[in-house]
Amino acid sequence: MRRFLIVGAAALLAGCSAMKDEAAAGQAAAHFHQLLDAGRYDAIYDASTPELKASSPKPNFIRFLDAVHRKLGAVKDAKQVG
């Protein structure tokens, strides 16, 4: 499930090149985690790429993120590992 969160964060980062601007990528990931912890799944979906939106209807995406967040809890630590 954590892997999906990383993929979700990557989807949010599609507009900025993480390889060229790690600071911006880190800020976007932190913003994603803030939205996730606040339960603002609709905002995450609305800011996602067209590819993510095409792969999952909004209600399904929101239910999925809600389930992931309920099972894993709030973000405690996030770091880049590669």
Side-chain angles (χ1 to χ4, degrees), residues 2 37 72 74-78:
R2 290 240 185 234
D37 286 342
L72 298 179
V75 176
K76 294 178 183 169
D77 184 35

Side-chain angles (χ1 to χ4, degrees), residues 14 48-56:
S48 69
T49 64
E51 292 83 6
L52 184 126
K53 291 175 182 172
S55 71
S56 179

Side-chain angles (χ1 to χ4, degrees), residues 3-81:
R3 186 169 287 212
F4 178 78
L5 293 178
I6 292 168
V7 170
L12 288 175
L13 298 174
C16 65
S17 174
M19 299 303 259
K20 293 181 182 177
D21 193 349
E22 290 183 33
Q27 289 173 353
H31 182 65
F32 170 81
H33 289 138
Q34 289 171 344
L35 293 173
L36 183 71
D37 286 342
R40 298 201 45 221
Y41 313 127
D42 58 331
I44 294 170
Y45 186 87
D46 293 342
S48 69
T49 64
E51 292 83 6
L52 184 126
K53 291 175 182 172
S55 71
S56 179
K58 189 173 186 175
N60 294 355
F61 182 82
I62 289 172
R63 277 193 304 272
F64 178 75
L65 280 187
D66 182 56
V68 168
H69 194 252
R70 272 187 287 110
K71 291 177 182 181
L72 298 179
V75 176
K76 294 178 183 169
D77 184 35
K79 61 184 173 183
Q80 184 177 350
V81 292

